[in-house]
Amino acid sequence: MPTVAELTVAEELVALREIAAHRGWPLKDLDALHFHLGLPASDQSHFYLLVDCDGYPVQPPAWHWCDAQGTHTDSLADRPQGSGFLHTNGVICAPWNRLAYKSVDPRGPHGDWAIGDWRQNSKTSGCTTLPHMALRTYVELNSPRFNRKRLG
Amino acid sequence: MENTEELKQAEAHLVEAEAELKTAETAEREAEHEVDEALEEIREALKPHEILLEIATPKGLFEGIFDEKTKVSQVIEVVVNKKDLDKKDTFELIHGEQKLEPTDRTLQSFGLKHKAKLELVATGSGV
């Protein structure tokens, strides 16, 4: 019997798959709760994310910057350098990213956010589905807030 | 004993469901191919003042032809309605590095012509 998280991910990935196919973004399902996504940035390079949807949508997914193969998530060279959303700690700073919470990840910039309220957080601002989160990340990687460098 | 029988039935249903899923995926690929062909025909038939917009939205792709004098706010309204996006949210259209604001400006005024790829995202969803 599939879990709520598995059903939600399967449903939301339909839209993301459609966008990825048309835009040429590499998207690979790893299992029912994990996928690997590549996004082109304004410096003509690609950034990659390993997305862990365990417990979603009760808690937000974890968006890990990773390498092109999705084998490791600990390299600074895989993380974009920028401001705001592209936090200097090397995590996506948004309530819809589990890694932004200090209670989950010590790099998380926010000790002031409650993870259970991620959908109600005003900074989430409608960004409550996986395709929306991916689109926002793509937009940020192509915005002036990305300074076309990597953290390492 | 009863449990074993139920398990066998469940497994049979799972096999059936997987076969149906594969058939559906094949049909989906064929349909996508037909849509691509139709869009290519549309692109070739575009009038000089028309713009074909391919917009990535939180609910998948939207494709439509707009007059170049259409305001950005009108495009957003059409897409939000067609894709059944939450009207409580405020959306913004992005073209590359450029946010198409103010939204009372026309597509043409942002230099868009013929066809363009845009993204529609909720305003303020990037911290």
Side-chain angles (χ1 to χ4, degrees):
Chain A
M1 179 77 77
T3 63
V4 172
E6 288 169 351
L7 290 170
T8 308
V9 171
E11 184 184 341
E12 293 185 5
L13 279 185
V14 173
L16 181 54
R17 222 173 266 125
E18 182 185 36
I19 295 167
H22 274 77
R23 296 292 176 96
W25 300 348
L27 171 62
K28 190 167 67 177
D29 295 344
L30 302 176
D31 60 36
L33 291 176
H34 299 82
F35 62 93
H36 180 250
L37 175 68
L39 294 172
S42 57
D43 64 352
Q44 311 305 316
S45 74
H46 272 72
F47 285 88
Y48 296 89
L49 291 139
L50 201 56
V51 188
D52 171 5
C53 302
D54 190 24
Y56 180 70
V58 175
Q59 60 177 359
W63 292 73
H64 297 271
W65 297 111
C66 68
D67 63 325
Q69 289 73 39
T71 51
H72 59 77
T73 58
D74 52 0
S75 170
L76 289 175
D78 295 327
R79 301 178 198 160
Q81 192 182 96
S83 60
F85 178 96
L86 302 172
H87 202 276
T88 47
N89 287 6
V91 294
I92 290 174
C93 184
W96 46 262
N97 178 26
R98 206 188 314 156
L99 306 180
Y101 295 81
K102 201 173 277 302
S103 58
V104 174
D105 188 313
R107 294 170 305 161
H110 286 276
D112 55 326
W113 289 346
I115 198 163
D117 294 337
W118 74 275
R119 283 171 176 268
Q120 280 73 46
N121 188 316
S122 62
K123 302 282 187 191
T124 294
S125 184
C127 195
T128 55
T129 64
L130 297 168
H132 204 154
M133 297 168 195
L135 268 180
R136 171 49 75 181
T137 307
Y138 169 77
V139 165
E140 294 287 339
L141 287 172
N142 289 276
S143 80
R145 295 212 285 188
F146 169 49
N147 66 15
R148 302 185 181 202
K149 289 181 183 163
R150 292 172 182 247
L151 284 179
Chain B
M1 192 68 175
E2 222 169 73
N3 282 349
T4 310
E5 198 52 43
E6 280 176 13
L7 192 61
K8 276 184 184 165
Q9 281 182 2
E11 282 173 346
H13 286 153
L14 186 62
V15 170
E16 262 176 51
E18 282 174 344
E20 284 171 13
L21 183 64
K22 275 187 185 159
T23 309
E25 283 173 347
T26 307
E28 188 186 2
R29 276 196 294 274
E30 285 170 4
E32 277 174 3
H33 182 65
E34 284 171 20
V35 168
D36 285 343
E37 281 184 345
L39 278 170
E40 196 50 48
E41 286 170 19
I42 290 169
R43 283 184 195 110
E44 287 166 8
L46 274 182
K47 297 186 179 104
H49 57 90
E50 290 176 333
I51 304 174
L52 174 63
L53 295 182
E54 183 200 282
I55 304 174
T57 84
K59 289 200 175 172
L61 273 187
F62 169 89
E63 284 167 306
I65 297 170
F66 293 86
D67 190 278
E68 63 188 6
K69 291 196 172 62
T70 309
K71 288 181 181 173
V72 170
S73 59
Q74 293 171 315
V75 176
I76 292 174
E77 193 181 337
V78 168
V79 180
V80 167
N81 282 327
K82 291 281 182 194
K83 298 302 282 186
D84 198 24
L85 294 164
D86 195 338
K87 292 188 178 65
K88 289 200 295 288
D89 292 328
T90 310
F91 291 92
E92 58 197 18
L93 268 179
I94 315 283
H95 180 236
E97 291 193 14
Q98 190 178 28
K99 201 184 283 188
L100 302 189
E101 286 184 342
T103 58
D104 60 352
R105 281 176 53 186
T106 64
L107 294 171
Q108 182 188 38
S109 75
F110 288 102
L112 301 183
K113 51 177 83 169
H114 306 309
K115 57 181 178 179
K117 291 183 178 183
L118 309 177
E119 293 78 43
L120 183 80
V121 288
T123 304
S125 55
V127 175

